Amino acid sequence: MTEVAEVKDKGLVLRGDTDEKHTLENLNRFLSVVGAQDDRAMVLSLATFIEDTLGRLLIAYFRDCKATKELVEGFSAPLGTFGSRTKAAYSFGLVTEAQYKDMEILRKVRNQFAHNWEGVSLTRNDIQALIGQLSGYTVDHKEIKGGNREKMLGTLSTCCMELQIFLGRLINKKAEKAPDVSHRLTTIKPTEPGVRRYVD
């Protein structure tokens, strides 16, 4: 079972920030539940957790307004699905290419489990091939030992941790929100040339 709180002892992510410690404690609780689930429940839980986190990440990054909430939340919201949120997060530079690819693989594996009621397992050839494409990235850069289940849980739990930490930093104003690049045409010179604004 993956324990993300181990990283605080190594100083790789946490540097005494209580909010981030709280985030890791919550993640460890989530991962202890997920680690005990069968394959189907594990895949669906990881996908649901990341989909939810991506939605909150987009809301935290975008302008704080009704339009943002309508874009991300609610029935038929354009960014209301796992796939659309993953693509949006990558397009806006909120996740790395490796994170994006790992989440896309999770989405494809999740779809296999969600849309088939029998004959789906992590050992099925097509699902094994997808899991084989996961980055296997961990914060401490150690190889994930074990089979398909361990590789999926290890890779995606690292992704969960990174997204949650980034979300917390956006909320706590320790990371930059979307830059406000909007402008109006005017004949009056700007009073603060070159000042970069961020959306409220």
Side-chain angles (χ1 to χ4, degrees):
M1 204 255 301
T2 304
E3 281 267 327
V4 294
E6 293 173 327
V7 296
K8 70 181 171 187
D9 297 330
K10 299 172 186 165
L12 296 172
V13 173
L14 299 179
R15 286 175 280 282
D17 190 309
T18 56
D19 291 334
E20 290 179 1
K21 286 180 185 175
H22 181 68
T23 296
L24 290 183
E25 287 168 5
N26 287 338
L27 274 169
N28 278 332
R29 272 202 331 272
F30 166 71
L31 292 172
S32 68
V33 170
V34 170
Q37 293 175 331
D38 64 25
D39 290 349
R40 178 187 295 270
M42 180 193 77
V43 168
L44 297 177
S45 294
L46 284 168
T48 300
F49 186 89
I50 290 178
E51 180 181 343
D52 177 66
T53 303
L54 286 171
R56 292 188 297 131
L57 186 64
L58 291 168
I59 287 172
Y61 184 69
F62 293 162
R63 192 183 303 266
D64 185 12
C65 63
K66 183 181 175 188
T68 292
K69 290 184 177 71
E70 290 174 347
L71 193 62
V72 179
E73 298 177 331
F75 180 72
S76 73
L79 298 179
T81 66
F82 189 11
S84 63
R85 289 177 180 182
T86 304
K87 287 175 177 60
Y90 179 58
S91 297
F92 283 103
L94 300 176
V95 298
T96 67
E97 184 176 4
Q99 288 170 325
Y100 170 68
K101 287 179 178 176
D102 286 342
M103 289 186 290
E104 278 291 284
I105 290 166
L106 173 61
R107 184 183 62 78
K108 290 173 185 175
V109 172
R110 186 274 316 257
N111 286 348
Q112 290 299 318
F113 279 96
H115 299 303
N116 295 289
W117 64 274
E118 67 176 352
V120 182
S121 76
L122 295 179
T123 58
R124 203 172 79 181
N125 287 342
D126 58 336
I127 293 177
Q128 281 192 79
L130 285 168
I131 293 171
Q133 296 172 42
L134 287 169
S135 69
Y137 180 82
T138 60
V139 176
D140 59 7
H141 301 281
K142 289 185 179 175
E143 183 180 349
I144 300 170
K145 297 195 186 318
N148 292 329
R149 180 183 174 86
E150 290 76 20
K151 185 170 185 181
M152 174 157 269
L153 186 58
T155 304
L156 276 306
S157 63
T158 300
C159 191
C160 288
M161 177 183 62
E162 292 170 328
L163 293 175
Q164 283 285 308
I165 295 285
F166 185 31
L167 171 61
R169 289 179 177 170
L170 277 172
I171 290 169
N172 293 314
K173 300 184 180 350
K174 293 179 182 176
E176 294 178 353
K177 290 177 61 101
D180 186 345
V181 295
S182 61
H183 64 279
R184 300 295 305 264
L185 295 177
T186 179
T187 57
I188 301 170
K189 290 182 180 179
T191 56
E192 298 177 279
V195 173
R196 193 171 187 196
R197 297 168 295 153
Y198 294 91
V199 299
D200 295 327

